[in-house]
Structures are given as C-alpha cells and as structure tokens.
Amino acid sequence: MKRTTLSLFAGAAALAAVTGFAAVSAPGDTGAETAEPAARLPVERTSLLCPAPSASDLAETTYTSFTPVTEGAEKKGTATLTAAADGAGAEAGKGGEDAGSGKDGEEGKDGNDGKDGKPVLRPGAPGTPVTGTASGADAPALTGTAEGSHAPGWTVQQTTEVAAGTGRGLLGLTCTAPDTEFWFPGASTASGRTDYVHLTNPDDSAAVVDIELYGKDGVLKSTVGEGVTVPPGGGESLLLSTLTDVEQTDVTVHVNVRSGRLGAAVQALDDKTGGDWLTAAADPAGELVVPGIPADATAVRLMLFTPGGSDADLKVRLASPSGAITPAGHETVHVKAGMTTGVDLGEVTRGEAGSLVLTPTSGSVPVVAAVRVVRGKGGEQESAFIPASDPVGARATAAENRAKGTTLSVTAPDRTAKVEVTASAGTEGGTTATKTFTIEGGTTQNVEVPVPAGLKGTYALTVETVSGGPVYAARTLTGEDEDVASFTVQPLPDDRGTVSVPKAEQNLSVLQQPPA
C-alpha cells in the first residue's frame, strides 16, 4: 500500500473517531450515504464542585445528591464526594449496583461534616436522593465524580442556613461542573457588601486563573487578581475588595482560567439584606432569559455587561402569567461596551410570577446578565441572585425540595411548550409522582409541583421538555420560618445527562485515488 493511501486511511479513521461522522468520502464523490441523525446517549462520567459553604460558626449546611433514572444508562456505577482542602478525602459510594449504599445496601445520611476527610454523604442509587450535613465555618469545599449509572444528570444541591450576622438567611447553589471561563454580573465592592469569589480545583495539577473586575466606568485595574494559583485538589476564596480599592455598587467578575479547569462561584453577603450565592451567568448572547423572579419580590435590580467592543441596546420584557409586559420606564436599556450597567426595576412582578426576557432592539451584541432580588420589608429583608440561564433542554434537575416552601417557575418566552415534571421518592420514604403542564408562549407560570405520596424528608424534581419550547425554569426555596423572608433561587438549565453521538460507519471509498 502506498504512503499516500496509508495517510488517507489514518486521517479518515482519526476523523471518524473524533467527530463521529457517518461517512468519509473522497472529493467529488457523490455516492456517500447521508449521515443519519445523531443519537443521544447517557454520559458516562460527571464531575461536580461545591464551594466551601460559609465562614460563619452559625452555618448549618445540607447537601443533597440525586441522579435521575436515565434510559440506556449503565447498570453499575459509582459516585464520590471528596473534601477539596487536601484533595485526599475518603471516597463515597464505592461498589457496583449498590454504589452509594450503606451497610447491607441501606442508603442513608453520613452526618459527617467533611473536616476529617470522610465523605459528607454517600450518593444514592439513581432515582433516590440522599442528604448529608455539615456545621460551622470549617466545612471544606467538595469535589465530586460520578461514573456509569450515577453519571447522567447527577446533581448536588448545597443549602446553608445562617441564623445571624452578615449574610444571614438561606444560601443555596447547585454544585457546578468544572470549566475554564465564568461571568458573574451582580457582584459588588460597595460598603456593606462582603463578596468572595470561590475557586475549586478538581485536578491533580495546579490551575492558574486571572480575575478581572468591571465597574460602571470599565475595568477596575488591579494586579492582585492576575495569575492566581489554585493548588491541586484545593479551594481558594478571594475577597473582592482586596482585589481593588474602588467601591462599586455593581461589578462584573470575569474568571478566566489560563491553565487547568475550575469551579467558580461568588458568595455575596450584605449587612442588611442577608446573602446568597451568585452562580455563573449563561454565556454571552444577544438574547437572554432570567427565569423565576419570585412573585412577592419587593425589589429587583438588573445587572448587565457586554464583553465585546460594541454597545448593546436591549428590549426589556417581563413574561408574566398573562403574557409579556414592558416594565414602565424601562422599555429598553443601553449597555456600554466593557462597562457594568445596573437598573432598578422595583416591584416589577407585582405579586405574579415573572421572568425577564432581554432581546436586542437592532443588531445583536453578546451580553451577560443577572438580577438581585429582595423579599421582605425592613429588618426582615433577604436577598438572592438569579443569573441569566440556558434553557431546560431535554431535562433539568433540582436536587433538594420540600413539602412546603418549594416553588417551580417555568417560562416559555416564545412558543407554547409542554413540560413533564417528576418528583422523586423522598430521602426517607415516598413514591414518585408526575404531572404535565402546558406553558403558553410569552408567559411564566408557577406550576403546582407534584409531591411524592407518603413523602418523608426531601425530594428531587426533574423537568423535561415534551414539545414546543424552548422553556426556562427556576426553583425557589424559602426558609421554614414563615415570618422571615429567607429564600434562595436556582435556575434549572439542561443537566447534560445525555450527549449527542452521531452514528459512524466505515466508508473505504476514501482509499481510492483518482486516476492521474
């Protein structure tokens, strides 16, 4: 065989292996078969990172792990959660089909705080959530890996209650997958705010990251955030006010990883209105949706940033239960290139479910966005953050839900869509329940979530797009004390439980050389 033919064969094999093309043919060949539509198959490995929950001695943290049952997934699998402080904590969930089970296959809480390197919880088998707890200021960041049956859609919710002090209230986030770039519009270096950026490294080599801050007049110059090293398997938290001496009400944080990969989140603590986690916004885009603003919000502030070199002009709409509404006095917003813009929308929801829909007035310019929401009055105020989100896609998952205090908000910004909502079994008992809802185009609905029959403990929710769409969703948790406005909101983007895999087949026509 000639060297040219060997090279062509090697190139074709490599291309098919990497891209999964259905056929590879020689130039000018019209006989190749058309590629079949890609199949969606369950992922085989998932990584998650949870930041250190709190610096308060009064903090009480609950972790909830859940993997939805996924058709076609492997029958066996494992899941691990490891303290990131030294990267060498004990594993959780060793074994095969019984991975995540305790003695004699019985799943349950560990009740360990992770400080001694032991697992906070043993992730349960698919279909059943499992909880664990941690107390005080020393609970570490966690790194997690799920494989096989435990991987598709694996979700861990971290919820912390702080009784008093700066950042009091309910702080929650969905532990995130490692990545190399994050945008956080909505941070602050103003007096009365104490904001930290938390970085968690899941790998066995150091990661190097640059942290850039942008205020109302552009970049806030600082060399402190350049070349920050996060040790292997470790976590770091940096106080934003130590990165710059400029006080700004609205700051966009850009985390750009030079080498390695990280999990990143901003913990925003306020002296007067409590605190919560600000998770990364959806990637910069010309059209954005901020889902699930609570109906009883007493103040809503929209923060926007455009990373490109062009200004952006956006139309602002509120998708309400009755349709799209334009907030009075805020029909459009102008965002200057490289500068953070903040807009007070007040009580924009006026007692109804709502989601913000941002669209360009003319040319599309990529933008990132988030809102800060306040509930309550006077000394009972509490705040939370909702970043712009990706759509639900095939399926989205929320790991921790309660019989009372759970609100699921679903938005169909354009076309009418149908979604199926499933409640899992409870952590301590109960059977699954499912409901289907139709969301009219241009509206937001707080749907009546199903509750497992005989529920004991907490349960997980999965939202699946049945038809129409796209749809966006967010879950709000409120504190158990009805006299206090504590709450936290988590958007529900696609849980990435499946991946598109094109069908590949061998086509030897690539080996044929045209006549000289």
Side-chain angles (χ1 to χ4, degrees), residues 153-195:
W154 184 43
T155 302
V156 176
Q157 168 77 16
Q158 175 181 296
T159 305
T160 303
E161 294 191 60
V162 179
T166 298
R168 57 165 173 74
L170 200 64
L171 295 79
L173 86 166
T174 303
C175 298
T176 58
D179 208 336
T180 57
E181 187 175 37
F182 307 85
W183 291 97
F184 300 97
S188 180
T189 58
S191 175
R193 278 279 289 271
T194 307
D195 287 16

Side-chain angles (χ1 to χ4, degrees), residues 393 412 414-419 439 465-471:
D414 300 312
R415 295 181 290 124
T416 296
K418 182 179 292 186
V419 297
I439 312 298
T465 304
V466 176
S467 63
V471 294

